[in-house]
């Protein structure tokens, strides 16, 4: 979801300090590399740091806007920081819990592919990841069969290996949270 904030900020003429959480520290570097490759070095700068340092930066006069995507708890802390000493605007996208719906008249192959990808993207740890799918009863059996087949083709492994299509959970406690949903 960072792209939803990065691109508008750049189009408005800004440089972006991009700070991803500790579970995805390489993302900001990939943004930086992409803009460098496109001929725009220095527009997106990785800013991987602890939360205290990020808060100090928000309070400084170098930050004009804060966009945060993540948990409600951390979002409250970000908003309190923004509101405490500064007149910086902020947008918060908090606590994603998205659903998908498969209609009776769907293109079933496309629906299966979209819902499975939306659920398993980033090992299911994306804030905009699909957590539940509502399927019309007339296509339910075929949807489940197609999803099972596609999921069976995923290759769990080291995310740095080319053949890996599903990486590990980012935190050990995430496994219990996932199991509680099944």
């Amino acid at each position: 979801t960072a792209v939803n904030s990065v691109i508008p900020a750049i189009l408005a003429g800004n440089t972006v300090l991009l700070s991803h959480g500790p579970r995805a520290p390489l993302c900001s570097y990939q943004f930086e590399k992409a803009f460098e490759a496109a001929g725009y070095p220095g527009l997106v700068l990785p800013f991987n740091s602890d939360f205290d340092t990020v808060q100090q930066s928000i309070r400084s006069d170098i930050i004009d806007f804060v966009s945060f995507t993540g948990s409600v708890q951390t979002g409250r802390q970000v908003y309190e920081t923004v509101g405490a000493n500064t007149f910086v605007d902020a947008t918060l996208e908090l606590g994603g819990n998205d659903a998908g719906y498969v209609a009776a008249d769907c293109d079933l192959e496309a629906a299966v592919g979209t819902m499975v990808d939306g659920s398993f993207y980033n090992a299911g740890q994306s804030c905009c990841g699909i957590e539940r799918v509502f399927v019309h009863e007339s296509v339910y059996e075929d949807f489940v069969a197609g999803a099972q087949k596609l999921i069976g083709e995923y290759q769990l492994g080291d995310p740095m290996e080319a053949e890996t299509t599903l990486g590990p959970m980012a935190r050990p406690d995430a496994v219990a949270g996932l199991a509680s949903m099944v």
Side-chain angles (χ1 to χ4, degrees), residues 134-153:
F134 299 98
V135 181
H136 191 276
E137 63 188 349
S138 65
V139 294
Y140 178 80
E141 297 297 330
D142 290 335
F143 177 85
V144 170
Q148 286 176 326
K149 179 182 181 300
L150 185 56
I151 292 166
E153 295 171 3

Side-chain angles (χ1 to χ4, degrees), residues 1 6-7 17 20 22 24 31 35 45 52 59-60 72 104 107 113 116 123 130 136 146 165 168 176 178:
T1 357
V6 170
I7 299 300
L17 294 177
H20 275 81
F31 270 91
F35 279 93
L45 303 172
D52 289 338
R59 290 184 190 114
S60 75
V72 172
D107 173 336
V116 169
I130 296 172
H136 191 276
T165 56
L178 177 64

Side-chain angles (χ1 to χ4, degrees), residues 17-115:
L17 294 177
L18 188 56
S19 178
H20 275 81
R23 287 183 261 162
L26 300 180
C27 289
S28 56
Y29 293 101
Q30 294 301 320
F31 270 91
E32 178 185 44
K33 284 171 49 178
F35 279 93
E36 285 175 354
Y40 300 99
L43 283 182
V44 177
L45 303 172
F47 184 59
N48 293 321
S49 188
D50 60 63
F51 190 67
D52 289 338
T53 303
V54 172
Q55 283 181 306
Q56 290 172 14
S57 299
I58 291 170
R59 290 184 190 114
S60 75
D61 62 357
I62 66 167
I63 304 294
D64 294 322
F65 187 83
V66 175
S67 178
F68 174 77
T69 301
S71 73
V72 172
Q73 178 183 357
T74 305
R76 280 191 182 105
Q77 292 176 305
V78 168
Y79 201 61
E80 288 170 4
T81 303
V82 167
N85 302 345
T86 177
F87 290 102
V88 171
D89 284 329
T91 182
L92 307 175
E93 183 182 332
L94 308 177
N97 192 358
D98 301 323
Y101 175 71
V102 178
D105 63 346
C106 72
D107 173 336
L108 190 60
E109 184 177 340
V112 167
T114 299
M115 296 301 160

